Amino acid sequence: MSFKQLFTSESVTEGHPDKVADQISDAILDVIIQGDPLSRVACETFLTTGLVLVAGEITTNCYVEIPSIVRDTLKGIGYFDADSGIAYKSCGIITSIDPQSEDIKMGVDESFGHEQGAGDQGMMFGYACNETKTLMPMPISFAHQLAERLAFVRKENIIDYLRPDGKTQVTIEYRDNKPYACDAIVVSTQHQPDTDQKKLRADLIENVIKPIIPAKYLTENTRIFTNPTGRFEIGGPQADTGLTGRKIIVDTYGGKGSHGGGAFSGKDATKVDRSASYMARHIAKNIVAAGLATECEIEVAYAIGVAQPVSLLINTFGTGKIDDLLLAKIVDKTFDLRPKSIIEYLQLRRPIFKQTAAYGHFGRELPDFTWEKTNRIEELIRKAGL
């Protein structure tokens, strides 16, 4: 007798207000890093009707024209006028920027007798499983692909009445802990006034859902919801405020596995919220890719100003080929988890972060996403004695 379970994950398009905020924060980060790779950046964005507020702590040797970056980001997403949610040319922009705290700087800076420490305390998690080719959970993988496809068909005028805001959600039915079928798919998208909802549904199924979800996962029992309220004309910051870091589960694994709570966007790599989470994903992915487990979660924790992690935990949920404690010892000897070493190993002083700010930080095997590389497989297998 098979055991049936349902698990659901959501994603949002690049036009969702929270994701707009993430992209603005990371666009600012990229420009600053381009000008001064050693900059310290903690930049957050808040959006509402006709207004963008950028605030944070930034220490840099370069000049950055923040309003221009904001407007370029809004334009690139597709917010051309107030009717769409916010007008990139005429929206108000307020900035409130201070330098990084000297107390934090003292713990992060290298000095005689003190190596670069973590930019904050906290615990970070990485996760991987063998449900998809990218070693991501299937629900979040499909949800991201649907959201990205939704933006694509809008920008390419394949569906010419769409607007930037949108959300997706995928429920996968598992049998004996393996993906079996899509139980439910939700696609909600902003659209122009007077759009016929029957046509919208047909267009979304044909042009968004079918090109992404493999036919074998679409069954006669799959429930498909399109704009369940019946209308989605008002969207973007006009409909809902946006804030950097409010979609942290969308950014990671869709609720599968644990989350430390720290957001990524707008933070330079001295913030282990970001860099250590990327490294933990890299390690977990290499463990699964090496066949040492079919599922792996890694927790690493830091104290502010201290280089070495205060803890490292590996959990393979009973799927590991060797004991989890032994695997943790192998990881500790194989990967250098000090912040400076992570930054150098993953090449995180490059302006690569805006592209992470929509459709997930993990599972996208893009050239700049060094944490997605599976380049340590043979070494892990050898050290595990397999």
Side-chain angles (χ1 to χ4, degrees):
M1 180 178 177
S2 63
F3 181 60
K4 175 180 174 181
Q5 288 180 306
L6 300 177
F7 193 88
T8 302
S9 297
E10 72 158 348
S11 184
V12 297
T13 67
E14 62 202 61
H16 184 281
D18 293 328
K19 272 289 142 214
V20 176
D22 286 341
Q23 290 166 90
I24 290 172
S25 293
D26 271 338
I28 293 168
L29 172 64
D30 278 352
V31 174
I32 293 173
I33 289 178
Q34 182 73 47
D36 178 9
L38 297 179
S39 297
R40 302 285 168 75
V41 182
C43 174
E44 297 187 355
T45 304
F46 170 84
L47 301 98
T48 189
T49 303
L51 178 65
V52 180
L53 168 63
V54 178
E57 298 78 47
I58 298 175
T59 298
T60 184
N61 291 322
C62 69
Y63 172 75
V64 179
E65 179 62 36
I66 289 178
S68 295
I69 299 171
V70 171
R71 297 191 195 282
D72 287 346
T73 303
L74 292 172
K75 181 182 179 182
I77 292 168
Y79 281 118
F80 301 122
D81 51 48
D83 288 341
S84 64
I86 192 168
Y88 80 91
K89 285 185 178 181
S90 60
C91 66
I93 299 173
I94 299 173
T95 61
S96 179
I97 306 295
D98 289 310
Q100 183 181 63
S101 162
E102 287 295 324
D103 295 344
I104 297 175
K105 183 176 182 293
M106 179 173 59
V108 178
D109 284 351
E110 283 190 297
S111 59
F112 181 76
H114 176 75
E115 61 181 324
Q116 179 178 320
D120 202 351
Q121 71 172 44
M123 63 284 190
M124 297 82 205
F125 290 90
Y127 180 84
C129 63
N130 66 351
E131 293 178 12
T132 61
K133 290 182 179 180
T134 58
L135 305 185
M136 287 287 285
M138 186 174 288
I140 189 65
S141 180
F142 281 168
H144 280 324
Q145 291 177 62
L146 289 172
E148 192 167 13
R149 178 69 183 179
L150 189 56
F152 176 80
V153 299
R154 170 178 59 86
K155 289 183 172 182
E156 295 296 318
N157 283 319
I158 295 171
I159 305 178
D160 60 7
Y161 51 83
L162 300 184
R163 286 177 170 173
D165 201 353
K167 304 179 77 171
T168 62
Q169 186 170 283
V170 176
T171 301
I172 294 294
E173 175 188 336
Y174 289 80
R175 294 190 180 180
D176 298 325
N177 294 318
K178 295 181 179 179
Y180 177 77
C182 282
D183 181 82
I185 298 171
V186 183
V187 179
S188 295
T189 179
Q190 186 188 10
H191 55 78
Q192 294 178 5
D194 302 321
T195 296
D196 181 82
Q197 292 297 318
K198 289 184 178 180
K199 175 175 171 53
L200 174 66
R201 177 179 175 84
D203 284 346
L204 291 178
I205 291 173
E206 190 63 30
N207 296 291
V208 176
I209 295 174
K210 286 185 177 181
I212 295 300
I213 307 297
K216 67 178 181 179
Y217 293 112
L218 293 173
T219 72
E220 60 181 11
N221 296 318
T222 300
R223 296 169 292 158
I224 296 177
F225 302 90
T226 59
N227 283 12
T229 65
R231 191 176 67 212
F232 189 175
E233 294 178 13
I234 303 171
Q238 184 180 1
D240 192 7
T241 57
L243 183 65
T244 300
R246 198 154 59 182
K247 283 288 177 284
I248 56 176
I249 303 302
V250 171
D251 286 341
T252 54
Y253 308 102
K256 198 77 178 290
S258 305
H259 198 290
F264 302 153
S265 290
K267 297 178 181 178
D268 76 89
T270 64
K271 299 291 188 183
V272 285
D273 279 338
R274 183 168 220 158
S275 54
S277 294
Y278 287 4
M279 190 65 173
R281 160 64 178 173
H282 176 66
I283 297 169
K285 185 174 183 180
N286 274 269
I287 288 172
V288 174
L292 300 182
T294 60
E295 183 180 11
C296 181
E297 179 180 88
I298 295 176
E299 183 199 42
V300 59
Y302 294 85
I304 188 168
V306 179
Q308 289 288 352
V310 299
S311 70
L312 171 66
L313 175 69
I314 294 182
N315 184 1
T316 60
F317 306 93
T319 71
K321 289 188 176 179
I322 62 174
D323 183 76
D324 287 354
L325 291 175
L326 175 58
L327 187 55
K329 290 181 180 179
I330 292 171
V331 166
D332 188 47
K333 292 179 180 179
T334 305
F335 298 93
D336 191 337
L337 294 173
R338 293 174 298 171
K340 181 180 179 181
S341 298
I342 292 173
I343 291 169
E344 292 174 351
Y345 176 72
L346 295 179
Q347 304 169 47
L348 297 179
R349 293 204 186 278
R350 298 172 295 142
I352 61 171
F353 296 108
K354 183 184 176 184
Q355 61 191 318
T356 69
Y359 313 119
H361 293 246
F362 307 124
R364 299 163 62 209
E365 296 176 331
L366 304 176
D368 289 330
F369 286 35
T370 51
W371 50 94
E372 291 296 318
K373 292 182 178 179
T374 51
N375 57 329
R376 309 297 291 273
I377 293 175
E378 293 182 2
E379 184 179 4
L380 288 170
I381 292 173
R382 175 173 52 82
K383 289 182 176 180
L386 300 177

